[in-house]
Amino acid sequence: MRRSLVVGNWKMNGTLESAELLAKGIVAGLGSDIADIAICVPYVYLPNISALVKDSPLALGSQNVADKPLGAFTGEISAAMLKEFNCQYALVGHSERRSYYGDTNESVAARFCQAQEQNIIPVLCVGETLEQREQDQTFAVINEQLDAVINVAGIAAFNTAVIAYEPVWAIGTGKTASDEQAQEVHHYIRQYLAAKDQTIADKIQILYGGSAKPDNAKGLFAMPDIDGGLIGGASLDAESFLKIFHSI
Ligand code: PGA
């Protein structure tokens, strides 16, 4: 039985004050240990939020990580730096990084490896645009995104990784994939990995992301290959994020 995981992605939102309030509110409402839970906060809030969640089950993550270990890479944050603030997860390849900031399959693979070098679990985001879906390219796009990492890191690296399927057309748009649409792709991803390593495929957590909300989370999480969610907008409110978490 796979343990579920719910990850909040705060993106570039909040103030230090609101971030601390939100983290405190989440910790206060966690209740019993039903699943893993993490928040990916803006880099600059990591020291404060790290101190706040220290003795709680709420894990900390970053929204990206540098593709190099250190050096003259202005504006980047290394995995070793993230480790100093107890990051357990790092998103890599989020579609906003890919489309607005030029993160390529190649750099995403390097970021994935850098995270693992520091024992940080990479959450590899994959997903198709609306145009790609309409042209029946969903699986081909996902193959490419997965292969880029598998070819560099090896399939064994997926022993300590999470995958997030996030159809780009569903992110922040209010358009969620239907339970069946999401399950179809999650199943596909698991089968794709199973062809390379059945044990890893059975074990890996595959999260759904894209306008997941308290009122649609239960249906999505009930699907056999959906092991939780990567939550953007709805993770900015403690009550709605906790409702999603408790839908597991
Ligand atoms: P959303 O974002 O829940 O606001 O659609 C999800 C994500 O981008 O991770």
Side-chain angles (χ1 to χ4, degrees):
M1 198 38 198
R2 285 183 297 273
R3 193 167 158 84
S4 299
L5 167 66
V6 175
V7 180
N9 174 11
W10 290 1
K11 309 193 180 182
M12 196 174 71
N13 289 295
T15 60
L16 179 56
E17 192 187 359
S18 71
E20 288 185 339
L21 270 175
L22 180 50
K24 278 187 202 159
I26 297 167
V27 170
L30 284 179
S32 57
D33 179 32
I34 52 169
D36 295 332
I37 182 164
I39 45 174
C40 295
V41 310
Y43 287 131
V44 291
Y45 299 150
L46 284 171
N48 296 62
I49 306 296
S50 169
L52 259 174
V53 302
K54 198 163 164 268
D55 297 313
S56 84
L58 179 59
L60 198 56
S62 62
Q63 298 174 15
N64 200 5
V65 56
D67 57 349
K68 308 275 195 317
L70 83 175
F73 302 104
T74 303
E76 290 292 307
I77 303 288
S78 74
M81 293 168 183
L82 297 174
K83 196 67 189 175
E84 286 187 281
F85 295 99
N86 306 314
C87 276
Q88 293 175 45
Y89 297 92
L91 304 183
V92 296
H94 189 281
S95 76
E96 286 150 18
R97 297 295 323 172
R98 293 178 190 263
S99 59
Y100 305 147
Y101 299 100
D103 289 13
T104 59
N105 274 338
E106 205 176 35
S107 90
V108 170
R111 291 171 200 277
F112 180 104
C113 294
Q114 286 301 320
Q116 287 195 333
E117 284 284 315
Q118 296 294 330
N119 293 320
I120 294 172
I121 299 172
V123 179
L124 172 64
C125 305
V126 298
E128 80 289 0
T129 62
L130 184 58
E131 198 185 358
Q132 289 163 337
R133 173 163 282 261
E134 284 171 352
Q135 290 172 1
D136 277 334
Q137 288 173 359
T138 299
F139 297 146
V141 168
I142 285 170
N143 289 354
E144 258 177 49
Q145 292 171 332
L146 291 176
D147 282 347
V149 179
I150 295 170
N151 291 341
V152 171
I155 186 69
F158 285 77
N159 262 309
T160 47
V162 171
I163 294 175
Y165 168 57
E166 299 205 297
V168 179
W169 47 272
I171 297 177
T173 58
K175 266 191 228 156
T176 324
S178 70
D179 301 345
E180 293 73 23
Q181 270 176 328
Q183 165 60 22
E184 183 190 22
V185 181
H186 281 237
H187 180 71
Y188 175 79
I189 293 171
R190 205 178 296 287
Q191 290 310 113
Y192 192 75
L193 298 177
K196 299 174 196 298
D197 189 311
Q198 184 71 52
T199 312
I200 288 173
D202 288 340
K203 181 178 135 189
I204 195 163
Q205 292 164 318
I206 308 179
L207 314 183
Y208 169 79
S211 299
K213 304 274 181 259
D215 60 357
N216 59 27
K218 218 178 181 65
L220 287 160
F221 295 167
M223 293 287 125
D225 288 298
I226 300 184
D227 306 311
L230 178 55
I231 318 297
S235 73
L236 295 172
D237 175 75
E239 199 186 320
S240 70
F241 187 53
L242 285 163
K243 268 195 194 140
I244 293 174
F245 176 64
H246 290 294
S247 307
I248 284 287

